[in-house]
Amino acid sequence: MTLWHSGGTLSGVPDNPAEAREAVDLLIEEPGEACPVALRGDIMLAVSELVSNAEQHTPGILCFTAAVHGGTLGVTVDYAPGGRGDFHMSSRAGYGWSIVTAVAASVTATQPLTGGKRVRVLLRLH
């Protein structure tokens, strides 16, 4: 396991989508963060897609973080530069990306000066 949990925050590099889902599930299970089943399913799907995108379209994930703040789960994924292509927030994006944008309250994608891509997703817990 390569994700570390400390003080309501996850950080690290998941080995696969299942590891990321399990860690996020534990994070949102903490006291005071009860999440309805339907929203939990949306969150798990979005987390899976974010990690799967890295596996399919880039050399991998540089960093994965997740934190709960005020009824919202923030997930940030830094994708390594290179790979088969770049995904964009557009109608041309793949099915997985359209799922993420449909269930998220907010999605931003930026390209750091060092290359790659940083995706920040906010998901409602309540």
Side-chain angles (χ1 to χ4, degrees):
M1 178 184 259
T2 54
L3 284 173
W4 298 274
H5 181 239
S6 174
T9 301
L10 290 171
S11 185
V13 179
D15 291 329
N16 53 54
E19 182 184 16
R21 280 192 313 272
E22 290 169 13
V24 168
D25 197 38
L26 290 174
L27 180 66
I28 63 176
E29 189 69 23
E30 290 184 356
E33 300 303 337
C35 181
V37 173
L39 288 178
R40 183 179 296 267
D42 288 348
I43 290 167
M44 296 303 115
L45 186 56
V47 167
S48 290
E49 290 300 329
L50 290 168
V51 175
S52 293
N53 277 341
E55 290 179 342
Q56 294 173 10
H57 303 292
T58 74
I61 293 175
L62 297 175
C63 187
F64 176 97
T65 58
V68 175
H69 298 288
T72 303
L73 173 70
V75 178
T76 302
V77 184
D78 290 333
Y79 296 90
R84 287 193 298 138
D86 208 4
F87 59 91
H88 302 277
M89 297 187 317
S90 72
S91 60
R92 295 182 338 193
Y95 182 67
W97 186 246
S98 64
I99 290 171
V100 171
T101 59
V103 301
S106 170
V107 178
T108 56
T110 58
Q111 189 166 12
L113 294 175
T114 55
K117 185 166 290 242
R118 174 172 289 149
V119 176
R120 173 102 170 119
V121 178
L122 298 178
L123 299 148
R124 290 184 185 88
L125 294 174
H126 310 285

